[in-house]
Amino acid sequence: MPSIPQPLDPHDDGSAAPAVAAALASYQDGTADATDVLTALSGARLLVPVVALLTESEVGEHGLRQEKESEMALPKLVGKDGRQAVLAFTGTDALVRWRPDARPIQASTLQVCQAAVNEQAAAVVVDVAGPVPFVIEGDVLAALAAVESGTLDQLADVTVARVEPARKRRWFSRR
């Protein structure tokens, strides 16, 4: 049986990270590009929705159909072309705008990207109902998922560079 993961931050109030909200607003205004949004998202917490899915029902004493069993499910968005996307939200306001009955699970952006690749989804759609929708797909999605799984060096056509910490330099000398 799957277990519910521990929250990344038990004191999280569910609001969007200010840097992420600012990057998305700038992206919408045209003063920032996708790289700026991805930079803001790279260390951010996202909320992945989980919804109840009816698996079995029965007719009750009053002749009405009622829930007997349900399971929690990760919903996916399916495009007109049949491609699937995992949904993620920057905060509870954006989650409730999409679906008020969804329950949030905290995950890092990298974890969400890895989950999308594992689910064979073509994209991650952030804040699908707004205020500013953003899509992570293609090579960027694959690279972010590979960073999380530690397999970035196995991706074709990706250059992996190791950045060493700068040595302290003296820019002046004492006499």
Side-chain angles (χ1 to χ4, degrees), residues 107-119:
S108 71
T109 300
L110 296 178
Q111 289 171 327
V112 174
C113 290
Q114 184 182 20
V117 168
N118 290 346
E119 291 289 320

Side-chain angles (χ1 to χ4, degrees), residues 91-111:
T92 52
D93 289 345
L95 175 69
V96 169
R97 182 179 287 134
W98 170 70
R99 188 166 168 175
D101 66 329
R103 297 295 170 249
I105 301 292
Q106 294 177 358
S108 71
T109 300
L110 296 178
Q111 289 171 327

Side-chain angles (χ1 to χ4, degrees), residues 37-125:
V37 176
L38 288 167
T39 299
L41 283 171
S42 67
R45 176 274 296 139
L46 292 175
L47 300 174
V48 177
V50 177
V51 296
L53 181 66
L54 181 64
T55 56
E56 189 176 339
S57 64
E58 64 185 2
V59 176
E61 295 175 14
H62 303 292
L64 300 174
R65 185 161 300 285
Q66 62 190 26
E67 177 182 328
K68 185 174 180 182
E69 287 185 26
S70 63
E71 295 178 358
M72 298 307 285
L74 173 70
K76 290 184 196 170
L77 186 66
V78 180
K80 290 180 182 178
D81 61 0
R83 294 186 310 152
Q84 297 181 352
V86 168
L87 300 173
F89 298 88
T90 56
T92 52
D93 289 345
L95 175 69
V96 169
R97 182 179 287 134
W98 170 70
R99 188 166 168 175
D101 66 329
R103 297 295 170 249
I105 301 292
Q106 294 177 358
S108 71
T109 300
L110 296 178
Q111 289 171 327
V112 174
C113 290
Q114 184 182 20
V117 168
N118 290 346
E119 291 289 320
Q120 298 178 346
V124 171
V125 178

Side-chain angles (χ1 to χ4, degrees), residues 16 20 24 46 87-91 94-95 125-134:
V20 172
L24 286 168
L46 292 175
L87 300 173
F89 298 88
T90 56
L95 175 69
V125 178
V126 178
D127 291 349
V128 67
V132 182
F134 185 79

